[in-house]
């Protein structure tokens, strides 16, 4: 093997260039190795190049697990293609393993023939022993059947940065940029954006910025000159996958944040976030805190209960109020959610679901909060539930949740999850003119005349179409009113213990939710002759759609439908379900939606479930659906 660590670009050697339709790459190493940053940069350049893409960051819950151990492995998977894709890919074509732990943790996911780039400098006796390797897997035949590229990444990086006056430890930190440069050469990724990013990121430390750029260029040059990499690859832009428009790469949490900001602007209301940091929802708090210029106010509370309490107070005061959390936080917020139901005020409860119960798996994904969102309160306390299906769709789902909350004066659950929150895909930036009009009218005067002819304000006099009560901002002259958690008299809002009144109010609140206008469920059944319907919700959209495509590609007719609105269900759902001989519901829980479907529609919905903290794989789902077809 020869190596070249010059920081200047060398003329390209004459090497084969092969065109591929798609590639799945996984970067893996210690939490401190910068794998998430490396993946983010490769993703950004891939997005700017015009490929369709989908990503899967995967990192440990520990802030810093012991270096070189299996619990400390962090990875970032990217699937990019010259056509429309839906998932981060079932199995990597390329694994970049920065140490033995990264190799051992990820090797089982690789198909035979995959390429493995290993940092040989880290394969020391001590590092091998930490993860249970008795002998070096690079030498004992463990990797036979794979295309292995042993690269001394650390040594080459330190050599490339000699002139920058860094300590060895400081220089070693740039080895992820060397790896990024090598992969950028292998797949013809643009480089200008990464160099500009590094200069901006380390603007206050220009020496560090230039050292990282030098390591990045050295990795590129190594790919061009070494004999071990005889082939590079091209994946053309996915020009046919995208309608004309302006696109950017976006994660689910960022898209959801932008959706909330847009909802505030479209409603003409100040956006208020009351939140307590919790993985994987904290990014929304961080992002919204950057947008005070759009009338956004963020409050980092001392705990979950204070966060939602402040948000509900902001709703009472006339703001578009939001609280963000994950499953454990929803449990703590449940009493205040019930209060919001009783007060009938608009409030968005954003639940970025993660593995449970209790603290569970903070950095792993799950869909197990559906029944908690539906029923996790005392008494009859119905709340609408909305779920996005892709990272980019989180933007539209936030707008839809805001529409329902503002129109019907109700708290609304928005159920995203860790897979959507941290994953990313291209997003077409919408025109402001195309966004929904969410403006609301506050009560500005008396709305009821008593029997003796006096005009008064009744806080629970309802709109006959939506059953929403009026929203009166405190301080409006003549609209003084009192609301609270104890049952209210219909119309007046006075405290009432009358049994008939309580029965009426309970049924009225339920009727308001049941009457929410939601679009009919759309069914994808191209030939109209499918016997089986695959019904999903939330982040299972990508794997389900990919699996259905595979089955159709081999001649099996399969219908697919995906629910955005989980409470209330679309009005035509029952009719859709009865069209098919079989209904299969894949979920990342133990069958929560399937249970709701069985109970409400008396349909034998069959569950296909997974609760391992990872999203479904398309091939796995395709095999399960094939078994249902053949049964």
């Amino acid at each position: 093997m020869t190596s070249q660590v010059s920081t200047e670009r060398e003329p390209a050697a004459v090497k084969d260039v092969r065109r591929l339709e798609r590639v799945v790459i996984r970067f893996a190493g210690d939490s401190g190795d910068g794998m998430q940053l490396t993946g983010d940069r490769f993703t950004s350049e891939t997005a700017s190049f015009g490929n369709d893409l989908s990503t899967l960051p995967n990192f440990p819950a520990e802030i810093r697990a012991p270096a070189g151990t299996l619990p400390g492995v962090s990875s970032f998977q990217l699937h990019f293609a010259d056509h429309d894709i839906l998932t981060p890919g079932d199995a990597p074509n390329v694994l970049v393993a920065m140490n033995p732990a990264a190799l051992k943790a990820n090797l089982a996911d690789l198909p035979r023939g995959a390429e493995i780039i290993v940092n040989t400098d880290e394969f020391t006796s001590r590092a091998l022993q930490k993860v249970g390797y008795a002998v070096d897997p690079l030498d004992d035949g463990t990797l036979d059947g794979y295309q292995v590229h042993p690269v001394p990444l650390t040594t080459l990086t330190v050599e490339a940065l000699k002139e920058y006056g860094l300590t060895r430890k400081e220089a070693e930190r740039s080895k992820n940029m060397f790896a990024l440069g090598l992969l950028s050469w292998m797949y013809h990724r643009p480089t200008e954006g990464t160099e500009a990013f590094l200069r901006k990121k380390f603007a206050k430390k220009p020496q560090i910025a230039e050292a990282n750029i030098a390591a990045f260029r050295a990795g590129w040059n190594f790919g061009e000159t070494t004999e071990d990499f005889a082939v590079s690859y091209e994946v053309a832009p996915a020009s046919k996958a995208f309608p004309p428009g302006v696109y950017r790469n976006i994660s689910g949490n960022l898209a959801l944040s932008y959706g909330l900001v847009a909802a505030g602007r479209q409603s003409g209301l100040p956006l208020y976030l009351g939140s307590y940091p919790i993985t994987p929802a904290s990014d929304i708090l961080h992002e919204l805190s950057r947008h005070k210029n759009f009338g956004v106010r963020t409050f980092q509370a001392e705990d979950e209960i204070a966060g939602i309490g402040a948000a509900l107070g902001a709703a009472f005061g006339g703001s578009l109020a939001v609280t963000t959390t994950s499953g454990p936080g929803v449990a703590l917020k449940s009493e205040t959610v019930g209060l919001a139901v009783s007060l009938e005020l608009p409030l968005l409860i954003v639940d970025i679901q993660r593995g449970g119960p209790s603290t569970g798996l903070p950095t792993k994904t799950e869909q197990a909060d559906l029944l908690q969102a539906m029923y996790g309160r005392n008494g009859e306390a119905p709340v609408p539930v909305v779920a996005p299906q892709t990272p980019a769709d989180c933007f539209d789902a936030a707008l839809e949740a805001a529409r329902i909350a503002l129109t019907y004066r109700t708290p609304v659950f928005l159920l995203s999850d860790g897979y959507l929150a941290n994953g990313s895909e291209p997003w077409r930036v919408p025109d402001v003119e195309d966004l929904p009009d969410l403006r609301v009218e506050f009560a500005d005067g008396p709305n009821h005349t008593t029997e003796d002819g006096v005009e008064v304000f009744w806080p629970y006099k309802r709109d006959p179409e939506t059953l929403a009560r009026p929203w009166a901002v405190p301080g409006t002259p003549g609209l003084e009113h009192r609301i609270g958690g104890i049952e209210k008299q219909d119309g007046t809002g006075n405290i009432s213990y009358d049994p008939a009144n309580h029965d009426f109010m309970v049924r009225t609140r339920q009727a308001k939710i049941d009457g929410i206008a939601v679009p009919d469920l759309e069914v994808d059944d191209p030939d109209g002759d499918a016997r089986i319907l695959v019904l999903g919700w939330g982040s299972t959209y990508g794997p389900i759609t990919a699996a259905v495509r595979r089955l159709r590609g081999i001649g099996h007719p399969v219908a697919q439908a995906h629910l955005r609105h989980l409470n209330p269900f679309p009005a035509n759902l029952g009719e859709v379900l009865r069209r098919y001989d079989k209904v299969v519901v894949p979920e990342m829980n133990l069958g929560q939606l399937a249970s709701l479907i069985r109970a409400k529609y008396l349909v034998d919905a069959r569950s296909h479930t997974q609760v391992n903290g990872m999203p479904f794989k398309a091939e796995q789902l395709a095999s399960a659906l094939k078994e249902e077809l053949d049964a």
Side-chain angles (χ1 to χ4, degrees), residues 289-439:
S289 68
R290 299 185 177 105
H291 297 291
K292 295 180 176 63
N293 56 315
F294 286 116
V296 179
R297 295 294 178 266
T298 54
F299 169 56
Q300 180 173 321
E302 65 269 29
D303 56 39
E304 295 282 3
I305 299 171
I308 190 173
L312 186 57
F316 179 64
S319 292
L320 176 56
V322 185
T323 189
T324 53
T325 188
S326 187
V330 173
L332 293 168
K333 295 176 189 291
S334 62
E335 183 181 8
T336 309
V337 176
L339 177 59
V341 172
S342 178
L343 301 183
E344 299 189 47
L345 286 171
L347 173 67
L348 303 186
I349 306 113
V350 178
D351 177 7
I352 312 298
Q353 300 166 93
R354 73 190 204 191
S358 188
T359 309
L361 305 172
T363 60
K364 308 302 179 183
T365 194
E366 206 164 273
Q367 286 183 297
D369 294 350
L370 175 57
L371 294 183
Q372 180 179 221
M374 290 281 285
Y375 304 119
R377 294 162 295 284
N378 65 297
E380 295 287 345
V383 175
V385 181
V386 175
Q389 61 189 29
T390 68
D393 187 51
C394 289
F395 178 87
D396 295 315
L399 285 166
E400 174 64 359
R403 176 192 74 83
I404 293 172
L406 294 171
T407 303
Y408 296 90
R409 310 286 196 267
T410 177
V412 177
F413 266 99
L414 198 165
L415 293 183
S416 179
D417 61 39
Y419 172 38
L420 295 183
N422 297 314
S424 64
E425 66 176 349
W427 173 57
R428 185 176 184 271
V429 180
D431 293 327
V432 174
E433 295 76 14
D434 296 333
L435 298 179
D437 184 351
L438 301 178
R439 286 174 293 182

Side-chain angles (χ1 to χ4, degrees), residues 97-375:
M98 303 297 281
N99 60 22
L103 177 66
K104 189 166 189 176
N106 292 281
L107 186 60
D109 292 338
L110 266 65
R112 292 289 175 173
E115 292 192 77
I116 303 175
I117 300 172
V118 291
N119 180 14
T120 55
D121 288 327
E122 296 298 320
F123 279 67
T124 63
S125 297
R126 186 168 179 230
L128 293 168
Q129 290 171 3
K130 274 187 182 181
V131 294
Y133 278 128
V135 293
D136 192 338
L138 303 182
D139 300 326
D140 69 350
T142 298
L143 303 183
D144 289 352
Y146 301 98
Q147 300 179 56
V148 181
H149 302 283
V151 181
L153 287 173
T154 307
T155 299
L156 292 173
T157 302
V158 171
E159 180 69 21
L161 303 186
K162 271 186 176 180
E163 65 185 79
Y164 290 90
L166 303 176
T167 66
R168 180 176 178 85
K169 187 174 182 180
E170 289 172 334
E172 286 180 0
R173 288 178 184 152
S174 297
K175 63 181 179 289
N176 62 324
M177 288 297 105
F178 189 102
L180 178 60
L182 174 57
L183 268 294
S184 297
W185 171 83
M186 283 181 67
Y187 291 97
H188 296 239
R189 298 297 91 186
T191 60
E192 295 79 6
T194 293
E195 295 189 7
F197 167 84
L198 291 170
R199 288 195 172 95
K200 182 178 179 180
K201 180 176 176 65
F202 298 107
K204 295 181 180 179
K205 298 179 179 179
Q207 182 185 31
I208 299 297
E210 293 307 315
N212 275 281
I213 291 170
F216 176 68
R217 291 177 176 174
W220 179 288
N221 289 336
F222 180 79
E224 284 190 332
T225 58
T226 182
E227 297 172 1
D228 195 39
F229 291 90
V231 178
S232 64
Y233 305 93
E234 285 185 349
V235 181
S239 54
K240 295 181 180 179
F242 304 119
V246 176
Y247 287 82
R248 60 158 296 169
N249 186 54
I250 200 165
S251 69
N253 273 352
L254 184 57
L256 202 155
S257 300
Y258 287 174
L260 293 173
V261 173
R265 301 295 285 182
Q266 292 303 105
S267 65
L269 303 176
L271 179 69
Y272 183 92
L273 173 67
S275 182
Y276 179 75
I278 182 171
T279 302
S282 300
D283 287 342
I284 302 172
L285 171 61
H286 301 159
E287 183 60 34
L288 289 182
S289 68
R290 299 185 177 105
H291 297 291
K292 295 180 176 63
N293 56 315
F294 286 116
V296 179
R297 295 294 178 266
T298 54
F299 169 56
Q300 180 173 321
E302 65 269 29
D303 56 39
E304 295 282 3
I305 299 171
I308 190 173
L312 186 57
F316 179 64
S319 292
L320 176 56
V322 185
T323 189
T324 53
T325 188
S326 187
V330 173
L332 293 168
K333 295 176 189 291
S334 62
E335 183 181 8
T336 309
V337 176
L339 177 59
V341 172
S342 178
L343 301 183
E344 299 189 47
L345 286 171
L347 173 67
L348 303 186
I349 306 113
V350 178
D351 177 7
I352 312 298
Q353 300 166 93
R354 73 190 204 191
S358 188
T359 309
L361 305 172
T363 60
K364 308 302 179 183
T365 194
E366 206 164 273
Q367 286 183 297
D369 294 350
L370 175 57
L371 294 183
Q372 180 179 221
M374 290 281 285
Y375 304 119

